[in-house]
Amino acid sequence: MGHSKNILVAGGAGFIGTNLIKSLLDQDHHVICLDNFLTGHRSNLMHLEDNSRLSILEHDVIQPMDMQVDMIYNLACAGSPPAYQADPIHTLKTSVYGVENLAQLALKNHCPMFHASTSEIYGEPLNHPQQESDWGNVNTLGIRACYDEGKRAAEALLFDYKRSHGLDIRIARIFNTYGPNMQADDGRVISNFINQVLRSEPMSMYGQGEQTRSFCYVDDMVEAIQALMALASAPASPVNLGNPSEYSMLEIADTIASLLNCRPQLVFKPLPEDDPTRRCPDISLAQTLLDWSPSTDLIHGLSRTIAYFKNQL
Ligand code: NAD
Ligand code: UDP
């Protein structure tokens, strides 16, 4: 990326945000972490707070903001289903008003903007693996719609800003990502399973556990996000980012139990409404465009995540 830049990371106190900020500071950039601390925590940034190139700003992206920056990363939005469903109207406002405020800021600063979209825009996928050309199959009225439809509206809004105002927008459709700095209690499957085993509790398996997801280790994701921002110009479409190795939740439970040297103990609970049955990214566009592929396999990524949560205890 060349010389040091002034970079805004909205949602920077969250899981992916803190990992991204660490990498940006390591490259000598100045970072403004803007966050309303809904799901992110100051403690996530504690080890970076001494760095004079990091400033932390408590702010909700729903409210307009003004500052001088060279680059914007927008990660602001609760990522875990229980967290984004807790105040669904706020989630929708974050994805629409918040995204518009950041788009306005990017235009004012004539700078590129990254936006974290999601595999959720594909809903219950009609094609497998999911490609960027798929239009998605989302229940517009269900309990996940605040997030899925919010992220779809954000993509539409950002592409209208691109067409109408020339916004330099780079959108990643992020597939399930995991690793250090996930909140132990935010309800996602990998953090839930690991922490349940560490507390000698059974793992909470929703449905029969046959639904699949494809999990990407956070370092690989942070590398891809920055590669997208390093492109000389914005791609014509959003880009899938994720690790295409696909596992059922039963396989995930077995793998976590074996890494923790125990037999898997499960308690079965109802499958949440509209929980997608399968999900796997086609990452050929990212591979071509970014010359990137994930390099951390599940065993190594889970081992590092387990070490992080053990240390947290
Ligand atoms: P996270 O919940 O850990 O972090 C989100 C951060 O945004 C938190 O610090 C939260 O306090 C902040 N935030 C939420 N609403 C805000 C608002 N209105 N104003 C300011 N700050 C706000 O989630 P994450 O896993 O780090 O996800 C980061 C981004 O990536 C999100 O946009 C999410 O939708 C997207 N994403 C994540 C995944 C994943 O598997 N982690 C998958 C797909 C997409
Ligand atoms: N899940 C589960 N037990 C949990 C949490 C989640 O079985 O304690 C399931 C969930 O129903 C989904 C999958 O794991 O099928 C991934 O859930 P997560 O919330 O991590 O991500 P998302 O649903 O957004 O893909």
Side-chain angles (χ1 to χ4, degrees):
M1 264 199 239
H3 65 285
S4 167
K5 291 189 163 67
N6 208 22
I7 302 180
L8 170 65
V9 182
F15 157 52
I16 298 177
T18 46
N19 283 283
L20 173 65
I21 288 177
K22 182 175 181 317
S23 170
L24 294 172
L25 291 172
D26 286 346
Q27 297 165 66
D28 287 339
H29 293 301
H30 288 78
V31 178
I32 303 161
C33 168
L34 180 150
D35 206 291
N36 66 353
F37 300 108
L38 181 70
T39 52
H41 295 274
R42 277 182 190 274
S43 56
N44 274 349
L45 294 159
M46 227 154 56
H47 60 300
L48 303 171
E49 260 175 338
D50 287 345
N51 193 316
S52 59
R53 283 179 284 103
L54 174 66
S55 40
I56 300 176
L57 184 62
E58 183 161 358
H59 185 86
D60 194 307
V61 290
I62 290 172
Q63 305 302 328
M65 63 213 92
D66 194 14
M67 63 189 80
Q68 283 192 345
V69 286
D70 303 315
M71 192 178 265
I72 297 173
Y73 286 93
N74 178 29
L75 299 159
C77 186
S80 155
Y84 67 64
Q85 287 162 19
D87 185 349
I89 294 169
H90 184 264
T91 300
L92 261 167
K93 286 182 176 169
T94 297
S95 288
V96 180
Y97 302 157
V99 166
E100 179 164 36
N101 286 331
L102 289 161
Q104 296 273 10
L105 186 67
L107 285 179
K108 190 171 177 191
N109 282 279
H110 306 287
C111 77
M113 170 175 171
F114 167 88
H115 173 68
S117 189
T118 170
S119 56
E120 287 282 326
I121 68 114
Y122 298 116
E124 177 59 37
L126 299 174
N127 299 314
H128 200 70
Q130 290 76 63
Q131 296 182 329
E132 288 85 352
S133 52
D134 297 344
W135 285 4
N137 178 33
V138 172
N139 175 1
T140 58
L141 305 176
I143 56 169
R144 291 175 94 97
C146 61
Y147 185 77
D148 301 10
E149 290 295 327
K151 293 282 190 180
R152 288 166 69 90
E155 287 197 5
L157 183 66
L158 290 167
F159 265 65
D160 281 333
Y161 262 81
K162 177 187 172 101
R163 281 185 289 261
S164 303
H165 303 296
L167 178 69
D168 178 344
I169 182 66
R170 293 128 195 264
I171 298 179
R173 291 181 180 155
I174 298 176
F175 284 64
N176 296 64
T177 301
Y178 70 101
N181 282 13
M182 292 183 93
Q183 288 302 311
D185 58 356
D186 83 0
R188 289 185 256 203
V189 68
I190 287 190
S191 43
N192 269 6
F193 283 0
I194 293 174
N195 283 287
Q196 285 161 344
V197 177
L198 291 179
R199 292 193 301 260
S200 306
E201 293 169 7
M203 290 182 269
S204 51
M205 184 64 72
Y206 300 163
Q208 298 305 306
E210 280 157 7
Q211 68 273 32
T212 67
R213 294 292 187 272
S214 305
F215 292 99
C216 184
Y217 188 64
V218 67
D219 287 0
D220 286 328
M221 183 56 62
V222 163
E223 189 186 319
I225 288 172
Q226 292 180 83
L228 184 54
M229 282 303 258
L231 290 178
S233 58
S237 90
V239 182
N240 284 345
L241 295 182
N243 187 323
S245 307
E246 185 181 0
Y247 301 90
S248 72
M249 296 312 106
L250 289 170
E251 289 171 318
I252 294 293
D254 279 349
T255 309
I256 288 174
S258 88
L259 288 170
L260 284 161
N261 300 314
C262 64
R263 286 162 53 89
Q265 303 284 333
L266 306 178
V267 53
F268 286 89
K269 303 204 167 174
L271 190 67
E273 196 181 313
D274 296 333
D275 197 285
T277 49
R278 56 187 187 164
R279 196 184 280 152
C280 178
D282 179 328
I283 58 163
S284 31
L285 181 62
Q287 285 170 318
T288 311
L289 209 60
L290 310 177
D291 191 22
W292 167 88
S293 287
S295 62
T296 311
D297 65 24
L298 188 72
I299 300 292
H300 287 94
L302 282 179
S303 304
R304 287 180 214 162
T305 311
I306 288 169
Y308 166 77
F309 282 123
K310 277 186 173 166
N311 194 38
Q312 291 293 104
L313 290 177

